[in-house]
Amino acid sequence: MAHYCFTLIVSLLLLSSGPALAVTLDPVVRLLSSDGSDPFFGLDSAIDGTTAIIGGDSEGAVLVDLSSTIPVTSTLPTPPNPDGGAFGASVAIDGQRALVSTVGSFDPVTFERNSIGFVTLFDLSTPSPTAVATLMASDGEIGDQFGRSLALDGDTALIGADGAGPGNGGAAYVFDLSGTTPTKTAILTPPANGSAGDFGADVALDGQLAVVGADEIRSPDGNSQAALFDLSTAPPTRFPPLGPDTVSSNSPVATEAGIAVFGSANDSSGAFTVIDTTVDPGDPGFDRRIAPMIPDGDQFFVEAVAISDGVILVGGSGFGRDAGAAFIFDAITGAELGRIDAPNGATEENFGYQVSLSGNLALISALGRRTADGPGPGVVYVYDISNITAPVPLPPSALLVLGATGTLMVARRWTLRPEATPPLMTGRLGLGVHAADVLK
């Protein structure tokens, strides 16, 4: 086992969404690629319980076990790749399984990859994770970008290929993993009248609900290109089209317990859409547009979303002149619970480029951040967000995570309670926060 040296750093983290919301100091962990130089480390991330997986462009995929005081990190074995694609372009994890895609070399200018692509299924139940299967598109062609996005739930895998299909409009492939060999069971396609809209740029899966995002703003009839599918039927049943009131360009997506979250890469207000599939589409609560409270004159696009245990995490790397931030919301009430700013507050930090969430543990990427010497490495920060809804002081050793390079950054947690009650906080005031409390 390798021996690591690490440095303990105490730093301040400001969480606020205007003067009325709580200001909190949380433990922070900084993870880097093994050589500390990959600017695309954190290009994608996923977490389930206390196990996280982080993808990059040159590093591959790094597995992080957060269950112990000093967590263990390991790099998943890179599969044979004759086409020279990037292993770790997208990642997904559920229980003792993980998916990692290999897609063509990453172009930092166009943010595109040119290849067919394939996905590797890993068994994490052994001390050394093992590749057990390769998932491919039997109809794949160069430029399909099979594996551009990944989702995994139980025995079902959902794989986005945003360059596949007629006119390169995109597709999402459904695989059954229950047998010895993964079996393709369905191909999800964009609306029949849709144009080339990068359908499959992001995917999400929970139970029988599949969510597919698309970068294109809208199809010709004004409806969104993104789609929801019920996988319990054969073939899968497509939900009614997302109408014109849905936020434009629904590429980042997430889902849990029948709730689907759609981000927007084309709405500078930072708005996103929440759809509750458990209610009738005609119900006023079926389709909600939510926007954060941000300072006048500021703007950003929602580039990443995650949902867990009724909490939504939204990443906006363009917030605050590209310093970036992550916003936290109640999925049921839409209440804004707090904002996590870029740890050092620097411009062009791109903090919030990617987010993932499981329970109280959140991963937030700062991709291609800037340093005094120019472009710096990609960084993934780990947060315990439990006291955002219920502030409880924790000892400074409450969360210690060892980075891939042995770098450790932990901030002591202090809590500053809200001095006023904004309307959006009423949904969470019963969890130990009292609006009349003053700074202590």
Side-chain angles (χ1 to χ4, degrees), residues 78-87 102-105 114-118 134 136 142:
T78 302
N81 179 23
D83 296 332
F87 174 68
T102 301
V103 190
S105 298
N114 296 315
S115 74
I116 299 176
F118 65 91
T134 299
M136 304 179 68
I142 295 293

Side-chain angles (χ1 to χ4, degrees), residues 12 22 29 40 46 82 148 265 288 307 316 325 331 344 367 374 394 410 434:
L12 297 180
V29 175
F40 300 111
R148 163 73 183 271
R288 292 175 293 150
I307 181 172
N344 62 15
L367 191 66
L394 293 181
V410 178
H434 195 284

Side-chain angles (χ1 to χ4, degrees), residues 210-271:
V211 187
V212 183
D215 280 344
E216 185 72 17
I217 297 179
R218 300 201 183 281
S219 55
D221 60 7
N223 292 324
S224 169
Q225 291 276 65
L228 296 151
F229 295 86
D230 179 359
L231 302 184
S232 66
T233 62
T237 302
R238 186 190 303 268
F239 279 66
L242 305 179
D245 292 336
T246 303
V247 176
S248 62
S249 181
N250 311 102
S251 175
V253 296
T255 184
E256 178 192 61
I259 295 177
V261 184
F262 295 85
S264 174
N266 286 316
D267 188 328
S268 61
S269 70

